[in-house]
């Protein structure tokens, strides 16, 4: 058999060279298209459920939250097993599915089971699904900073957005930032309301987790003496603040059936 192959190769040298080049071309094309990863993601298909209950101890979280969620997930098609973690005010349940189960189908089933079991959880417990990502997924990190930190090297132009001659920073919205606390909070605001919404539209991004910076907040610090002087209780103050922050859409008025 080997003699015939050698004789054929010698007799048809041009054909053998063409076949060799074609095989090399096919191999090179396959090599360029072959998905190769130095650290392949071998994580199974899983859906994470995070539940927060600030007022519960680890034992109460385990008995009232973790056990309830695991029981609600039982019987989902393709579910292999669940594992959980219960801590002070926090519970995490991981549902592991077979590799042939579509991840979006699995998340839909988990969401439906959580909705059905919502009345069995304590009233102050909030649940949410984790992102479609694993511990071996790629992580890209970036930092948001001023072009000229603390105004170093900048040319101040008073009245225009940017660093001012008095050391403050004027935002494009017209807000003057004085001090590192306000300037750091503005960077976090830019990250959360400008950069993050645009990054979420990029294909392949599962979640965006901000780290650092000061989140802008509004605090109401009531004066007990003034509340007593005006005969206002704390529950009434809380109710007034909630009503003040309620946003209602346009409606219509019915009068005599018209």
């Amino acid at each position: 058999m080997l003699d015939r192959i050698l004789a054929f190769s010698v007799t048809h040298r041009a054909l053998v060279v063409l076949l060799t080049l074609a095989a090399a071309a096919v191999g090179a094309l396959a090599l360029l298209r072959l998905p190769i990863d130095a650290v392949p993601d071998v994580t199974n298909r899983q859906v994470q459920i995070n539940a927060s209950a600030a007022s519960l101890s680890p034992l109460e979280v385990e008995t009232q939250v973790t056990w309830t969620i695991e029981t609600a997930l039982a019987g989902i098609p393709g579910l292999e097993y669940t594992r959980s973690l219960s801590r002070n005010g926090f519970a995490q349940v991981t549902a592991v599915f077979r590799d042939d189960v579509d991840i979006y189908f699995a998340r839909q089933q988990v969401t439906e089971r959580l909705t059905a079991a919502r009345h069995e959880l304590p009233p102050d417990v909030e649940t949410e699904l984790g992102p479609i990502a694993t511990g071996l997924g790629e992580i890209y990190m970036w930092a948001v900073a001023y072009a000229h930190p603390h105004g170093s090297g900048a040319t101040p132009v008073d009245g225009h957005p940017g660093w001012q001659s008095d050391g403050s920073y004027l935002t494009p919205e017209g807000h003057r930032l004085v001090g590192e606390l306000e300037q750091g909070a503005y960077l976090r605001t830019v990250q959360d309301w400008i950069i993050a919404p645009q990054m979420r539209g990029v294909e392949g991004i599962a979640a965006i987790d901000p780290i650092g910076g000061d989140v802008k907040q509004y605090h109401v610090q009531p004066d007990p003496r003034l509340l007593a002087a005006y005969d206002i209780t704390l529950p009434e103050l809380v109710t007034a603040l909630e009503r003040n922050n309620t946003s209602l859409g346009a409606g219509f008025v019915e009068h005599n059936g018209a």
Side-chain angles (χ1 to χ4, degrees):
M1 184 65 180
L2 181 60
D3 294 339
R4 293 182 180 180
I5 295 177
L6 292 175
F8 179 83
S9 301
V10 173
T11 305
H12 305 83
R13 288 173 293 182
L15 179 60
V16 172
V17 171
L18 292 177
L19 292 177
T20 303
L21 294 176
V26 173
L29 183 62
L31 180 62
L32 294 177
R33 296 184 177 181
L34 183 66
I36 298 178
D37 194 346
V39 185
D41 191 353
V42 296
T43 309
N44 45 25
R45 294 191 179 275
Q46 55 183 241
V47 179
Q48 283 189 345
I49 303 100
N50 299 321
S52 59
S55 61
L56 300 182
S57 65
L59 179 59
E60 293 172 333
V61 170
E62 176 68 27
T63 57
Q64 301 182 29
V65 180
T66 305
W67 184 85
T68 302
I69 294 178
E70 288 183 328
T71 304
L73 299 181
I76 295 180
L79 179 67
E80 292 187 340
Y81 61 90
T82 59
R83 60 175 183 266
S84 61
L85 174 67
S86 300
R87 292 183 178 178
N88 187 16
F90 176 78
Q92 184 180 81
V93 179
T94 303
V96 180
F97 293 83
R98 296 196 310 264
D99 292 338
D100 59 342
V101 177
D102 183 73
I103 186 62
Y104 296 99
F105 170 79
R107 292 174 67 88
Q108 178 184 358
Q109 295 298 313
V110 170
T111 302
E112 293 178 357
R113 294 299 182 92
L114 289 177
T115 303
R118 187 67 185 89
H119 66 282
E120 300 180 7
L121 296 172
D124 59 341
V125 174
E126 297 181 359
T127 59
E128 63 177 1
L129 298 186
I132 307 178
T134 64
L136 299 178
E138 297 182 4
I139 299 177
Y140 178 79
M141 301 184 67
W142 68 83
V144 182
Y146 293 97
H148 301 279
H150 306 290
S152 177
T155 303
V157 180
D158 293 340
H160 292 270
W163 294 102
Q164 307 297 299
S165 57
D166 59 355
S168 62
Y169 186 87
L170 185 63
T171 67
E173 297 81 14
H175 300 157
R176 185 177 298 272
L177 309 177
V178 181
E180 294 185 1
L181 180 61
E182 293 183 359
Q183 295 170 6
Y186 180 70
L187 293 179
R188 179 60 182 268
T189 302
V190 171
Q191 158 64 27
D192 293 342
W193 296 95
I194 299 178
I195 299 178
Q198 299 182 62
M199 293 295 293
R200 290 190 180 95
V202 178
E203 183 180 358
I205 291 184
I208 297 178
D209 299 321
I211 302 176
D214 299 300
V215 180
K216 188 176 182 180
Q217 298 178 344
Y218 294 92
H219 293 265
V220 177
Q221 300 178 350
D223 189 337
R225 294 175 300 177
L226 293 178
L227 291 178
Y230 288 98
D231 194 19
I232 299 176
T233 63
L234 283 177
E236 291 176 346
L237 178 61
V238 173
T239 302
L241 290 174
E242 292 177 349
R243 291 179 178 177
N244 181 71
N245 288 275
T246 302
S247 179
L248 299 177
F252 57 91
V253 177
E254 293 186 5
H255 180 66
N256 295 331

